[in-house]
């Protein structure tokens, strides 16, 4: 079975530019989450979507936005890029989001973003 | 204070050794816990979920102590291939169902 896929794998952008990262979840999974991982740290939560609705948002500025499509794939958009946005952006999918008990999240290979 | 705190590491152990990682979490409302493994420049991969009764998967044993808000991972008979960063994770009860990761503990198993 195909795992979580992300595109592109690597990206180099200049400060002030905009970037769109894409994610396709595992077939049958309806929840997608986005995380940012900078070197030497654990992943930090950015957004979670379930059934095309935002279900959670981490402590990131409004320059970060996301959406989920009817086929459950997702996009993460970052505007006005800063040097500090350089990181590995990870997408994770999980099958069901139910009250209080969540299923494990499975990560894609990530998009490595470098802002110069 | 971070929601999940882990041993700083790194841990350097010889093949065949037993190694234990510890982790504490601050949000008493957290309901699910996991250990993920991350190889250099790769994505985190789920190693195991952690249940209140403790659970074992081959050489790996995970324990949860809700009263102390403490999670552990024990690796027996370490293999060279166990070398990686181990991430302790608590599922948040706010901000949706976000995974709250520790900083990770690096393990190097040497011949």
């Amino acid at each position: 079975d195909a795992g979580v896929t992300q595109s592109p794998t690597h990206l180099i952008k200049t400060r002030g530019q905009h970037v769109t990262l894409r994610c396709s979840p595992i077939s049958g999974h309806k929840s997608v989450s986005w995380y940012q991982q900078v070197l030497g740290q654990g992943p930090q939560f950015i957004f979670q979507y379930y059934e095309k609705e935002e279900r959670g948002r981490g402590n990131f500025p409004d320059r970060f936005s996301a959406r989920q499509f009817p086929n459950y794939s997702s996009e993460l958009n970052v505007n006005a890029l800063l040097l500090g946005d350089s990181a590995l952006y990870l997408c994770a999918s999980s099958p069901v989001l139910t009250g209080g008990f969540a299923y494990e999240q499975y990560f894609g290979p990530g998009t490595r973003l470098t802002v110069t | 204070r971070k929601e999940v705190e882990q041993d700083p590491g790194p841990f350097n152990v010889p093949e065949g050794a037993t190694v234990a990682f510890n982790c504490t979490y601050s949000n008493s409302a957290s309901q699910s816990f996991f250990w993920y493994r991350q190889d250099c420049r790769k994505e985190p991969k789920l190693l195991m979920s952690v249940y209140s009764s403790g659970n074992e998967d081959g050489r790996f044993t995970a324990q949860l102590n809700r009263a102390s808000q403490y999670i552990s991972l024990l690796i027996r008979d370490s293999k060279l291939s166990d070398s990686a960063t181990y991430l302790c994770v608590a599922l948040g009860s706010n901000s949706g169902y976000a995974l709250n990761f520790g900083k990770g503990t690096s393990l190097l198993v040497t011949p």
Side-chain angles (χ1 to χ4, degrees):
Chain A
D1 286 343
V4 178
T5 59
Q6 291 187 245
S7 64
T9 53
H10 294 84
L11 203 52
I12 299 175
K13 290 285 191 178
T14 305
R15 272 179 300 177
Q17 286 188 315
H18 161 269
V19 68
T20 297
L21 310 181
R22 295 178 175 84
C23 169
S24 291
I26 293 169
S27 178
H29 286 196
K30 298 182 178 181
S31 178
V32 170
S33 301
W34 287 95
Y35 294 81
Q36 179 196 66
Q37 187 175 26
V38 298
L39 201 61
Q41 301 291 324
Q44 291 283 109
F45 171 69
I46 310 175
F47 285 109
Q48 185 172 73
Y49 278 78
Y50 177 62
E51 290 283 15
K52 302 178 286 294
E53 290 188 8
E54 182 182 306
R55 294 301 182 98
R57 183 184 182 117
N59 188 24
F60 279 80
D62 291 344
R63 300 184 295 108
F64 288 76
S65 63
R67 54 181 175 166
Q68 186 177 32
F69 299 100
N71 66 353
Y72 303 110
S73 67
S74 179
E75 280 183 357
L76 175 70
N77 294 284
V78 187
N79 292 324
L81 286 166
L82 303 174
L83 295 179
D85 294 331
S86 295
L88 179 66
Y89 287 85
L90 294 159
C91 173
S93 78
S94 58
V96 175
L97 199 67
T98 189
F101 295 91
Y103 290 76
E104 296 90 349
Q105 296 185 18
Y106 299 90
F107 285 84
T111 294
R112 193 164 298 279
L113 173 66
T114 302
V115 182
T116 62
Chain B
R1 180 187 174 192
K2 278 187 70 70
E3 284 206 35
V4 177
E5 302 270 7
Q6 291 187 241
D7 280 350
F11 285 62
N12 291 341
V13 302
E15 262 187 298
T18 295
V19 61
F21 302 137
N22 302 314
C23 166
T24 57
Y25 62 95
S26 60
N27 186 350
S28 59
S30 296
Q31 298 196 22
S32 299
F33 305 90
F34 309 95
W35 284 99
Y36 278 77
R37 169 201 168 122
Q38 187 170 29
D39 293 290
C40 188
R41 300 184 72 81
K42 298 285 190 180
E43 75 273 23
K45 290 190 186 298
L46 179 65
L47 181 64
M48 56 198 306
S49 302
V50 186
Y51 304 119
S52 295
S53 55
N55 48 303
E56 187 174 309
D57 183 3
R59 299 182 292 109
F60 299 84
T61 300
Q63 295 277 352
L64 167 64
N65 183 322
R66 285 190 185 273
S68 302
Q69 296 183 202
Y70 173 94
I71 305 158
S72 65
L73 176 68
L74 185 75
I75 305 176
R76 290 180 300 278
D77 188 23
S78 298
K79 311 291 185 192
L80 296 177
S81 57
D82 293 334
S83 298
T85 296
Y86 290 82
L87 296 159
C88 177
V89 185
L91 187 76
S93 60
N94 49 10
S95 298
Y97 294 94
L99 297 180
N100 294 310
F101 284 83
K103 198 173 176 179
T105 301
S106 176
L107 171 66
L108 178 63
V109 181
T110 55

